[in-house]
Amino acid sequence: MLRAPIGRHCARHVPSRFRDAGRPRLPNSTFRINLTRTRIPQKRSVQTQNTPFEPLRPPSPSSLGRPQAARQFKRSQKWGRRLLIFGAVTGSLYLVDRIAFASGIGRSLLTFGTGLFVALDYKLNFRPVPIVGGTIEDLHRRSAERLFDLLRANGGLYLKIGQAIAMQSAVLPPEFQRMFARMFDDAPQDSWKDVEKVIRKDFGGKSAEEVFGVSFTGEEGKGLMERRARASASVAQVHWARLPDGREVAVKIQKPEIAKQVGWDLWAFKVVMRVYTWWFDLPMYSIVPFITERLMLETDFESEARNSEVMRKLVDSEPALKGRVYIPQVYPEFTTKRVLVTEWIEGVRLWDKSATTGRWLGGYGNGSAGVHGEKLKFTAADVEAARRELRQNPLKEKLKPEREQWKGRNGKGGLGLTGKEVMTTMVDLFSAQIFKWGVVHCDPHPGNIFIRRLPSGKPELVLIDHGLYVYMAPKFRQQYALFWKSLMTFDNKTIANISEQWGIKAPDLFASATLMRPYEGGDGSTRNALTKELSGKTKAERHYEMQQRMKQGIRDVLADEDKWPKELIFIGRNMRIVQGNNQFMGSPVNRVKMMGNWASASLFQDPDLPLRERLFNAWRHLIFKTVLFATDIAFYTFKIRQWFGLGGGMEDEVEKRMAIMAKDFGVELQHEVFEG
């Protein structure tokens, strides 16, 4: 059955007479078996028995049917074009923002996004039992983390805002206090290539070598300058230099991105505060313009130079402070809006307590290098060492001699000063600023205060960084001095009268905030109103209700936004930092008494007051000093307990009492403002 079709198929291709030519014939059985093994399957046959043979050809167009149009992916192409355009526009905007505005727009968008997210979280979950679970403490914690990450990521003025929040963190939840205590860490420094652009732009294209007369290769007759910053903050960084005439100076250079970012940053801050004011019904926006104005001035180094010179003259004219406090000299010939050159200060920063109080090994009758503006020594050996350093470590050079011989061979020596001497000078300085001069340095944190030892063995306090200042009007300064004195004598009538003039409806609450301790002389009306009707409620309900009441307390303090003195924001910041410094040093002085004494004395020493009023105030000052004797009894009682290890100093005990009172207002105080 298989052979016939195959035979016929083969017969059409090869004539039979030639088919077997030259081949030996095989038996039929063998032939049949071979055919069976090698037969071709039927499906490969291209012809049938009834159709003639036709060679394989391509199909004709007519046999393929009508042509069809190619499939169009119009929707995909449309979205592809859109994505391409969106990517191109977004990339262009990103480059423009990065180059022209130093990422100001991107930083603002990040601020709006984070601010909105935090606001929504509070709006939904600030209740006794949050919707997403957890507690109100968990809500505070994640919000603090988000805001802290935002401020650190944006840097620049955002760090300044964060530091301002940190110094007022006493009225914030403890989760915010712990997080924002880390805002005082040093900021990363910019490269020399970037900061030199600021010098060239502000000095008409001149290089640092031309402006300051220095050489980065150690040329004879030229000065020296370190291209690696000695300190870096949120807005600027400081480089050491030695001018050709031998003066050692601190060259403070604003970071190049700040000028491009400041407008966007302050605008974003205003928008967020405006939204929060409306959303949370708190009168916060009224103080924002004043804050932004202060922050804007902090980026103007010519303004800082003026503040420094004003403070230098005031200190030199005050007999109680002359010789105890030193303000570095400013060199106006090298100063612009973004470059500030001042005298270089050698000393110990306040936060180095061990170096301040350690044993003096610098020799009898000697003092720290540079006291009273004395010229710093720079020997020929120092010059040679500096040139060698320039050759070996370019761009990372350390050319300034360390001048730490007073530490001794083992490096464990100190200035040999007591905390009481240091804090007495500090409280006197800032009390004079607030109550006598009305010119207040608002950023006296430990990094801005140097301590040096005079040849007499007494401390010399050096105050730097004069960018953030408040100037008090004479009337407001007199009111504030009288208010502080009245707090010490429990003169509730005067306190209420001044509070009313300032538009404050909760005088006892404001009195406690001013003293930074519980005010015992008020009628307690605000406290009683806030704490009533809370019995029988759960801990979560009480915590929530008290924080709600605290919001009302803030509204009462800021009741009349037009009358409320905006300067109180930064004066409170100054006093809070001074309190923190005193506590850090072990509460060696009675800060409240000293400030009260300056407040009372300023009222009869003020030349702007009529003579009759000054004489009356002098008489009352004598009576007031007698009253202050009671605070001395309390102070030394706490001091004796501290010596015997039975408790902390007066500031610590005051803070404990303040914390107990604050808990009734829904606030948990944690005052470790310089932690980290």
Side-chain angles (χ1 to χ4, degrees):
M1 293 175 64
L2 295 172
R3 293 175 64 192
I6 293 175
R8 287 193 295 270
H9 177 74
C10 295
R12 284 195 296 269
H13 290 74
V14 183
S16 60
R17 62 179 179 274
F18 299 114
R19 185 177 57 193
D20 298 325
R23 293 184 182 180
R25 290 186 178 271
L26 298 174
N28 291 338
S29 59
T30 304
F31 180 69
R32 190 179 294 112
I33 292 171
N34 290 339
L35 286 176
T36 302
R37 291 179 179 174
T38 60
R39 69 180 184 272
I40 300 173
Q42 254 187 346
K43 66 180 181 179
R44 297 184 61 184
S45 177
V46 296
Q47 299 288 338
T48 62
Q49 186 175 0
N50 299 323
T51 55
F53 169 77
E54 292 181 2
L56 293 175
R57 298 187 183 91
S60 63
S62 59
S63 66
L64 296 176
R66 298 178 60 186
Q68 297 180 357
R71 185 178 176 184
Q72 299 289 327
F73 297 92
K74 293 184 177 180
R75 182 172 295 182
S76 300
Q77 292 175 353
K78 183 178 180 181
W79 280 104
R81 285 194 299 271
R82 288 178 177 176
L83 288 174
L84 185 61
I85 294 172
F86 177 77
V89 172
T90 304
S92 300
L93 290 176
Y94 172 79
L95 290 175
V96 170
D97 179 36
R98 186 177 179 84
I99 296 171
F101 305 112
S103 301
I105 299 175
R107 290 149 53 91
S108 300
L109 292 175
L110 180 61
T111 301
F112 296 150
T114 304
L116 180 61
F117 200 74
V118 170
L120 283 172
D121 200 3
Y122 269 101
K123 205 69 175 176
L124 293 173
N125 296 302
F126 187 67
R127 57 192 71 209
V129 182
I131 294 176
V132 299
T135 62
I136 292 180
E137 288 81 0
D138 295 329
L139 170 64
H140 291 326
R141 187 179 301 108
R142 62 177 178 262
S143 298
E145 289 174 355
R146 288 167 183 156
L147 291 177
F148 178 81
D149 291 342
L150 168 70
L151 297 175
R152 294 291 289 186
N154 281 349
L157 282 183
Y158 281 84
L159 288 178
K160 283 290 181 185
I161 295 171
Q163 290 170 5
I165 294 173
M167 294 318 307
Q168 303 300 328
S169 64
V171 297
L172 295 175
E175 293 78 15
F176 280 85
Q177 297 171 34
R178 285 189 288 269
M179 187 63 65
F180 281 86
R182 294 153 50 193
M183 292 304 300
F184 293 96
D185 296 342
D186 283 345
Q189 62 176 269
D190 286 3
S191 68
W192 173 253
K193 180 181 178 182
D194 290 334
V195 296
E196 190 181 27
K197 293 178 182 177
V198 176
I199 297 176
R200 288 184 178 275
K201 190 168 184 179
D202 281 25
F203 288 94
K206 294 181 180 179
S207 66
E209 295 96 322
E210 295 173 300
V211 173
F212 303 116
V214 299
S215 170
F216 294 130
T217 58
E219 289 182 50
E220 292 283 349
K222 296 287 186 73
L224 300 166
M225 185 173 184
E226 293 180 348
R227 286 169 287 189
R228 185 187 181 109
R230 284 271 171 170
S232 178
S234 54
V235 172
Q237 58 191 52
V238 178
H239 296 256
W240 174 88
R242 185 174 187 267
L243 303 180
D245 58 10
R247 290 178 294 174
E248 291 189 31
V249 297
V251 183
K252 183 177 180 180
I253 308 172
Q254 189 177 117
K255 295 181 177 179
E257 65 271 15
I258 296 298
K260 300 176 181 178
Q261 293 173 348
V262 61
W264 287 100
D265 291 351
L266 295 180
W267 174 74
F269 175 60
K270 288 180 179 179
V271 171
V272 170
M273 294 302 293
R274 171 72 80 178
V275 172
Y276 275 33
T277 298
W278 166 75
W279 202 329
F280 294 107
D281 191 25
L282 284 173
M284 297 185 293
Y285 186 76
S286 60
I287 63 177
V288 169
F290 185 79
I291 293 175
T292 54
E293 181 186 359
R294 298 298 103 189
L295 292 176
M296 195 73 179
L297 284 174
E298 202 168 0
T299 65
D300 183 353
F301 290 173
E302 290 179 339
S303 173
E304 180 175 345
R306 289 192 294 269
N307 293 336
S308 181
E309 285 302 302
V310 168
M311 185 55 57
R312 182 180 174 88
K313 292 177 181 177
L314 288 171
V315 168
D316 289 343
S317 65
E318 176 58 48
L321 295 173
K322 187 175 182 180
R324 300 168 60 203
V325 177
Y326 187 78
I327 308 299
Q329 184 177 353
V330 174
Y331 301 114
E333 65 270 27
F334 299 117
T335 297
T336 67
K337 285 190 176 295
R338 296 192 296 169
V339 178
L340 175 66
V341 178
T342 66
E343 173 187 352
W344 180 265
I345 297 298
E346 292 283 353
V348 174
R349 292 188 188 265
L350 183 64
W351 57 45
D352 193 348
K353 190 191 302 185
S354 60
T356 302
T357 59
R359 181 186 173 192
W360 173 255
L361 300 175
Y364 179 77
N366 295 327
S368 302
V371 292
H372 293 330
E374 178 185 318
K375 187 175 180 180
L376 297 170
K377 295 180 180 179
F378 202 91
T379 65
D382 294 330
V383 173
E384 184 57 35
R387 289 174 178 163
R388 185 169 57 252
E389 183 74 8
L390 282 170
R391 291 191 299 269
Q392 295 176 353
N393 297 304
L395 297 177
K396 295 183 180 180
E397 59 273 339
K398 287 188 177 181
L399 310 180
K400 184 187 77 67
E402 292 306 320
R403 302 185 177 103
E404 293 183 341
Q405 294 84 354
W406 50 271
K407 286 188 175 182
R409 294 180 180 178
N410 59 6
K412 295 182 179 180
L415 297 180
L417 305 172
T418 66
K420 182 178 180 180
E421 294 172 323
V422 172
M423 284 310 306
T424 298
T425 303
M426 185 183 303
V427 175
D428 282 343
L429 170 62
F430 294 115
S431 297
Q433 290 183 1
I434 294 171
F435 300 116
K436 189 169 186 178
W437 306 329
V439 182
V440 186
H441 185 300
C442 300
D443 199 18
H445 68 77
N448 287 338
I449 297 174
F450 284 92
I451 307 298
R452 300 194 292 206
R453 178 187 172 98
L454 296 171
S456 63
K458 298 294 182 181
E460 181 186 57
L461 187 148
V462 183
L463 185 63
I464 65 170
D465 196 355
H466 300 265
L468 187 58
Y469 264 59
V470 165
Y471 289 80
M472 304 166 67
K475 181 180 179 181
F476 171 62
R477 178 177 54 79
Q478 293 161 11
Q479 285 180 324
Y480 193 73
L482 182 59
F483 183 82
W484 187 275
K485 179 181 177 181
S486 301
L487 293 176
M488 304 292 295
T489 56
F490 298 150
D491 186 354
N492 295 324
K493 184 177 180 181
T494 301
I495 292 171
N497 182 38
I498 295 176
S499 297
E500 184 180 357
Q501 294 182 51
W502 290 347
I504 297 171
K505 291 184 179 179
D508 51 345
L509 179 62
F510 180 67
S512 296
T514 302
L515 283 172
M516 295 179 188
R517 73 176 194 185
Y519 176 60
E520 306 290 355
D523 58 7
S525 58
T526 303
R527 183 177 179 180
N528 294 334
L530 290 173
T531 56
K532 69 180 181 180
E533 298 179 358
L534 292 176
S535 59
K537 294 190 176 182
T538 65
K539 181 180 178 181
E541 290 173 338
R542 178 181 172 85
H543 185 71
Y544 168 75
E545 186 65 27
M546 290 312 301
Q547 292 201 5
Q548 287 289 91
R549 301 285 179 88
M550 187 59 190
K551 286 175 63 177
Q552 183 58 46
I554 294 174
R555 294 189 190 100
D556 290 341
V557 171
L558 302 176
D560 192 329
E561 300 175 40
D562 295 329
K563 292 182 179 179
W564 199 79
K566 309 301 186 295
E567 295 87 350
L568 288 173
I569 303 167
F570 291 101
I571 294 172
R573 171 187 167 90
N574 172 291
M575 298 176 70
R576 175 66 194 97
I577 298 177
V578 173
Q579 184 203 22
N581 291 338
N582 190 34
Q583 189 174 356
F584 173 75
M585 297 297 290
S587 304
V589 299
N590 188 345
R591 174 187 59 88
V592 174
K593 175 199 170 184
M594 292 177 64
M595 297 190 74
N597 189 57
W598 274 92
S600 178
S602 69
L603 293 174
F604 75 85
Q605 294 174 348
D606 190 346
D608 295 331
L609 293 176
L611 179 61
R612 182 177 179 180
E613 188 174 348
R614 291 177 61 185
L615 292 174
F616 179 72
N617 288 338
W619 167 248
R620 298 197 64 176
H621 177 65
L622 294 176
I623 300 174
F624 177 72
K625 289 182 73 69
T626 305
V627 173
L628 288 183
F629 180 71
T631 67
D632 280 333
I633 296 175
F635 173 76
Y636 286 111
T637 300
F638 288 124
K639 203 67 182 172
I640 292 172
R641 291 180 59 195
Q642 188 180 26
W643 287 339
F644 286 100
L646 300 177
M650 187 173 181
E651 294 284 12
D652 300 299
E653 295 299 322
V654 163
E655 189 156 307
K656 287 181 182 178
R657 296 175 62 197
M658 190 72 173
I660 294 172
M661 188 195 83
K663 267 196 170 181
D664 290 334
F665 290 95
V667 178
E668 187 171 348
L669 296 183
Q670 294 185 357
H671 281 317
E672 296 82 3
V673 294
F674 304 126
E675 179 184 338

